[in-house]
Amino acid sequence: SGTDEHGLKIQQAAAAVGTSPAELCERVSGLFRQTLTQAGVAYTDFTRTSEPQHQRAVRHFWGALRDEGVLYKGSYEGWYCTPEESFLPESQLAERTDAQGRPCKVSLETGHEVHWTKEENYMFRLSAFRGPLQNWLRDNPRAIFPDPFYQCVLRWLDEDLPDLSVSRERSRLHWGIPVPSDPTQTIYVWVDALVNYLSVVGYPESHGTWWPAVHHVVGKDILKFHALYWPALLLAAGLEPPERILVHSHWTVRGQKMSKSLGNVVDPSVSMGQYGVDGFRYFLLRQGVPERDCDYYDEKVVKLVNSELADALGGLLNRTTAPSINPSNTYPCFSEPCFPKVPDAREAKGTGRACAEDYKLVAAVASLPAQVDSYFEGFQIYKALECIAQCVRQTNGFFQRHRPWKLDRRDAAEQLWLDTILHITLECLRVYGTLLQPVVPHMADKLLSRLAVGPGERGLSDLTFLARYDGKPCPFEGRQLGPDTGILFHRLGKSETMKKRKQEA
């Protein structure tokens, strides 16, 4: 992760608040790092495009483009959008009136005002790469995912593909990297920023260890820069495009785009204060569908998080470990006679004390780790969480169906069945806690610690569910449970949440 720090909009923003671009970037970069830390987001590197190592990589990359003969100097004019740091064609503009009621042109996509700009720049022969880009995409149909964005890029390649202006006059833009051997020009901010993907893996010396087996995660609003300009620049410099470009859509608020002017921008720090880090992360990943915009509002967060984390998952853990149900505070033993193995869970009619629905649960949870792994790898985290939530509901149904609190402990057969119910439920919870670690790390740790699952027993590769059902030993059977640390996830109160939000505002 990191911050892209050069460009005209940064230069103008710094001037507007009476500070230098470097001081503004230092402050804002710090806010990003602070927010990532608060959100429990880890990173191997936090890069800043103002760092010397990155600037050296950009100069080298520019030299590679120059040596390949894909740069030339030419006069360029057109409508320039400073917030987007790009020239826009007429087809992407709309007529509006500004705050003073004067007619103006704005970007159709973002609503930002554009200004007619004419200057001498270095140009990149983007038009020469239509064929290579089309070949790359046709040979790699999953290079851009989800598919709607892949199709969008293919359509762009069928349209006019003009050469790209890749520098700005230094007299107008001094906050950036100077063009090597031409101090009158500054390297275009997007060329500078995109090279960050190379500089962070050691370009130009040691990037080959990683490149091109990398995945970029980008917002849909910067798709053109990543899926057209960047692969073309890489091909021109003698490098391969990235292996995959994963694209996500945006969050709207009650159906409206987030906007400072509307006052509906969601502050992640405030939201984490309201819902907890885990609650906020869970909602975003559970409801965020990459291929389409998703809607955000407080009541929706409260309802989902209460239902799936506090009630379904937290309630299940509380019931299974309650002293009245599990007075020994252990991981009880599994009884094969109570729950005998059947050849095909789909055809199970009920054997021993188990019924057909119980076998469906066991089959569903047994297949869950591979299913979740596949969805995570496929950038469909919401589908993985949907599957987990469904299994949690099934487990609650299993527990409710057999009413372990009604069983008579004085009867040996009843005690065996009670232990088996608890063993199966705790095994389900162990699987859910393990799979949820990337999404709700604090809550997953709390759940697994309560089940006495050690740090070395929390990996996905060796996650075996209900080993005793398959006649194999279970390392957790008979183990003393971890200490009771209280409620797994506290329910969010609607009135408290709203009150807190108003106070924060």
Side-chain angles (χ1 to χ4, degrees):
S1 190
T3 43
D4 161 19
E5 300 187 2
H6 291 135
L8 189 59
K9 65 180 175 184
I10 305 292
Q11 182 177 302
Q12 291 178 347
V17 293
T19 189
S20 70
E23 288 170 330
L24 177 71
C25 290
E26 180 69 31
R27 182 176 64 81
V28 175
S29 180
L31 289 173
F32 273 97
R33 271 180 293 195
Q34 182 183 314
T35 304
L36 289 175
T37 301
Q38 185 187 359
V41 176
Y43 44 81
T44 51
D45 292 271
F46 189 97
T47 66
R48 299 178 58 190
T49 60
S50 56
E51 292 170 349
Q53 154 61 17
H54 171 73
Q55 298 192 34
R56 186 173 73 87
V58 172
R59 287 192 292 270
H60 189 278
F61 189 81
W62 182 276
L65 295 176
R66 181 193 58 220
D67 294 347
E68 290 296 326
V70 294
L71 300 179
Y72 65 93
K73 210 165 188 183
S75 183
Y76 193 88
E77 60 181 311
W79 294 103
Y80 192 73
C81 180
T82 300
E84 295 175 45
E85 295 284 13
S86 65
F87 283 99
L88 300 176
E90 286 283 352
S91 60
Q92 291 178 23
L93 302 177
E95 297 282 351
R96 295 282 189 274
T97 53
D98 63 17
Q100 283 74 43
R102 295 171 301 199
C104 66
K105 286 184 183 286
V106 299
S107 164
L108 207 54
E109 172 76 17
T110 64
H112 293 130
E113 192 171 346
V114 298
H115 301 278
W116 187 260
T117 304
K118 181 178 180 179
E119 60 185 34
E120 190 174 51
N121 299 147
Y122 283 94
M123 306 294 292
F124 168 62
R125 297 185 193 280
L126 180 63
S127 54
F129 289 88
R130 181 198 301 274
L133 288 173
Q134 288 174 326
N135 293 337
W136 164 60
L137 288 175
R138 282 169 187 152
D139 291 344
N140 299 278
R142 290 178 62 79
I144 300 168
F145 183 84
D147 187 65
F149 299 113
Y150 172 80
Q151 299 298 336
C152 176
V153 177
L154 284 178
R155 286 194 299 274
W156 284 338
L157 286 169
D158 286 334
E159 298 168 2
D160 187 32
L161 200 64
D163 287 350
L164 180 67
S165 168
V166 288
S167 72
R168 300 289 180 264
E169 287 182 356
R170 195 144 185 88
S171 58
R172 191 165 71 90
L173 174 60
H174 57 79
W175 179 240
I177 303 170
V179 168
S181 72
D182 188 347
T184 68
Q185 295 280 310
T186 299
I187 295 174
Y188 176 41
V189 64
W190 270 105
V191 175
D192 164 1
L194 288 163
V195 173
N196 164 67
Y197 292 118
L198 284 171
S199 62
V200 77
V201 291
Y203 180 83
E205 291 87 14
S206 56
H207 60 285
T209 309
W210 283 95
W211 202 271
V214 296
H215 292 188
H216 297 340
V217 182
V218 305
K220 68 175 187 178
D221 53 323
I222 50 176
L223 177 61
K224 185 170 281 187
F225 299 97
H226 283 83
L228 280 187
Y229 304 161
W230 180 224
L233 288 163
L234 286 165
L235 290 168
L239 295 164
E240 291 182 58
E243 189 174 288
R244 292 194 86 187
I245 299 170
L246 303 165
V247 189
H248 63 78
S249 297
H250 294 164
W251 283 98
T252 57
V253 175
R254 298 189 181 276
Q256 288 185 301
K257 187 171 182 175
M258 282 195 216
S259 151
K260 288 180 183 176
S261 58
L262 289 174
N264 66 346
V265 175
V266 176
D267 183 332
S269 296
V270 173
S271 294
M272 284 185 273
Q274 288 175 244
Y275 314 124
V277 172
D278 283 343
F280 190 50
R281 285 169 62 114
Y282 185 80
F283 175 80
L284 294 179
L285 292 167
R286 174 78 167 89
Q287 294 286 298
V289 180
E291 56 262 45
R292 64 174 184 271
D293 288 352
C294 299
D295 206 33
Y296 179 99
Y297 51 93
D298 290 311
E299 296 87 347
K300 190 177 183 180
V301 184
V302 171
K303 185 177 179 181
L304 178 86
V305 171
N306 279 347
S307 168
E308 296 190 357
L309 295 188
D311 299 343
L313 193 61
L316 187 63
L317 178 67
N318 286 345
R319 296 167 87 189
T320 317
T321 56
S324 57
I325 292 280
N326 190 349
S328 63
N329 195 42
T330 58
Y331 217 99
C333 296
F334 178 88
S335 167
E336 287 94 335
C338 288
F339 208 111
K341 188 171 175 63
V342 295
D344 189 344
R346 291 169 297 182
E347 296 175 7
K349 299 291 189 290
T351 320
R353 299 289 295 257
C355 67
E357 286 298 310
D358 302 336
Y359 284 100
K360 287 178 185 172
L361 167 68
V362 168
V365 181
S367 65
L368 191 61
Q371 206 173 18
V372 167
D373 185 37
S374 173
Y375 282 136
F376 275 5
E377 287 295 326
F379 194 55
Q380 294 177 302
I381 298 169
Y382 71 103
K383 285 190 177 180
L385 297 184
E386 200 175 288
C387 291
I388 295 172
Q390 172 62 25
C391 283
V392 172
R393 283 193 291 272
Q394 281 181 264
T395 313
N396 271 297
F398 165 75
F399 199 83
Q400 187 67 30
R401 186 162 55 245
H402 294 297
R403 300 171 178 259
W405 59 90
K406 293 279 189 182
L407 297 173
D408 186 357
R409 295 178 182 281
R410 293 165 298 185
D411 183 320
E414 296 274 277
Q415 180 68 56
L416 280 177
W417 179 226
L418 171 60
D419 287 349
T420 302
I421 293 168
L422 294 180
H423 182 96
I424 292 169
T425 309
L426 290 171
E427 278 289 274
C428 290
L429 282 165
R430 182 173 65 84
V431 170
Y432 307 148
T434 303
L435 296 177
L436 285 169
Q437 287 175 108
V439 179
V440 283
H442 306 106
M443 200 178 95
D445 175 61
K446 192 173 180 181
L447 191 159
L448 293 172
S449 297
R450 181 71 175 103
L451 301 185
V453 180
E457 300 171 314
R458 300 181 178 189
L460 182 63
S461 56
D462 55 354
L463 180 58
T464 305
F465 168 66
L466 206 59
R468 293 280 274 108
Y469 177 71
D470 292 310
K472 297 170 185 172
C474 171
F476 304 98
E477 194 171 55
R479 187 182 290 188
Q480 193 72 24
L481 295 180
D484 183 0
T485 50
I487 293 170
L488 184 65
F489 189 91
H490 287 272
R491 290 190 102 253
L492 301 170
K494 184 179 175 184
S495 57
E496 289 171 23
T497 302
M498 293 308 188
K499 185 178 176 183
K500 197 167 187 180
R501 176 142 195 168
K502 284 174 183 172
Q503 287 172 341
E504 292 284 359

